[in-house]
Amino acid sequence: MATALTAAQEAAREAAKQAQTRPAPASDRLLTVEDLQTHFIQGTRAVKSVDGVSFSLRRGQTLAVVGESGSGKSVTSLSIMRLLSHPGRIVGGRILYRLRDGDVVDLATLPEKRMRAIRGREIAMIFQEPMTSLNPLFTVGDQIMEMILLHEPLSRADARARAKRMLELVEIPAPERRLDQYPHEMSGGMRQRVMIALALSCNPSLLIADEPTTALDVTIQAQILDLLRRLQHEIGMSILFITHNLGVVAEIAHEVAVMYAGRVVEQGPVLDVFERPRHPYTRGLLACIPDVRRDRTAEGGRRLLNSIPGNVPSPSDLPEGCPFQPRCPLVVERCREMPPLIPVSEDHRSRCWRYDEL
Ligand SMILES: Nc1ncnc2c1ncn2[C@@H]1O[C@H](COP(=O)(O)OP(=O)(O)OP(=O)(O)O)[C@@H](O)[C@H]1O
Ligand SMILES: [Mg+2]
């Protein structure tokens, strides 16, 4: 285990050093999700895609949400933005968000009219595929200007000047010319930069990034992560970064929340969670990170990559108690009862009865 984690651990240690992670007072929390439940109601059946998610995000920091496909990451972020598609519905819990003026609102129940003023201005979102957010029929400049004019009383000339500054901010060369181009005239990496410019154009306090680098090749991915880190430092925004890539978590996040079958099973500072995972699922995920040095045998052949046996259960077919038990090497009788999120140290929590044996 110790050698298997070396590369990821080194990156996490470096990221944590840079972040100088330290405990912060409760007023420093920008977003607190408490026991969120989002269900898809189909006739008399409810698919419990998110079933008791809790985590919090500090001002100016990055929280990564990780987990296998289907664990409820996107449904969680769409719940925060209140952009769930039919028949998805928030049926329980709270999403407490501190507005710029200091007021705390519950996004789970806020009227849609007030949500419209928050989306884009206080909270912005970027997605894996820029073409889902960019309109192919309008120029990049028009789309950024539209976002600015929706929220701020500026003239078109001033909005265009701001749009140009946004393209400069995300390091797009020849921004004046790019403003008049359509999304299809740009490369994937360039479109992702435009989407970040669009998201940041009204200076949001929170950026939700749902797998924003998954579709990019590794060099462009590294550039986009660098850009987000720099912008966070300059603008002071918080980022909720959704990914299934633990290498990316080590690069960008201060804290990590690990999701499994619609629940958070572990949350804590990245360094803590990477060095001392306290949930068998997290430990399994960390062991799955490929390591070029480790995964070659002495003869130069390849070893099989690690994997966690089995699959994430469907939200409509969960076992009783801890949902990880069918795949868990530590399962005992008590796991038929759902464990709560148990504090294992000041900021670190695990939803496993046997956390102290790991
Ligand atoms: N419109 C919908 N109707 C019914 N079920 C849905 C709908 N959207 C999502 N779900 C279910 O919710 C669960 C969580 O989905 P979600 O998209 O949040 O997963 P994810 O963690 O983002 O996965 P990925 O890594 O593949 O993006 C899945 O089991 C999915 O089938
Ligand atoms: Mg998703």
Side-chain angles (χ1 to χ4, degrees), residues 68-75 77-78 128 210-211 242 244:
E68 282 164 285
S69 190
S71 55
K73 307 181 295 293
S74 295
V75 172
S77 56
L78 292 170
Q128 174 175 343
D210 192 348
E211 309 259 11
I242 291 166
H244 56 257

Side-chain angles (χ1 to χ4, degrees), residues 17 22 36 42 44 49 65 76 104 181 190 217 226 242 257 267 273 325 327 354 357:
K17 247 192 269 161
R22 56 185 174 272
L36 177 68
Q42 291 164 342
T44 54
S49 301
V65 176
T76 300
V104 175
Q181 287 188 331
M190 206 57 89
D217 66 62
D226 268 351
I242 291 166
Q267 180 177 359
V273 173
Q325 38 169 323
R327 303 169 78 184
R354 301 185 69 187
E357 294 169 50

Side-chain angles (χ1 to χ4, degrees), residues 84-129:
L84 290 162
S85 59
H86 181 79
R89 229 175 40 215
I90 298 174
V91 297
R94 301 198 297 173
I95 304 171
L96 302 178
Y97 180 78
R98 188 175 294 274
L99 296 170
R100 260 180 228 165
D101 62 15
D103 282 356
V104 175
V105 289
D106 180 3
L107 301 180
T109 53
L110 207 64
E112 175 55 27
K113 188 159 173 253
R114 288 198 65 194
M115 264 325 287
R116 276 202 292 270
I118 288 176
R119 272 188 223 114
R121 182 156 178 71
E122 297 257 3
I123 308 176
M125 188 159 176
I126 55 177
F127 299 89
Q128 174 175 343
E129 176 40 66

Side-chain angles (χ1 to χ4, degrees), residues 27-30 57-61 98-99 205 236-238:
S27 62
D28 217 30
R29 291 181 199 279
L30 181 69
L57 171 55
R58 293 190 175 122
R59 213 171 270 285
Q61 294 215 336
R98 188 175 294 274
L99 296 170
S205 310
M237 65 185 170
S238 305

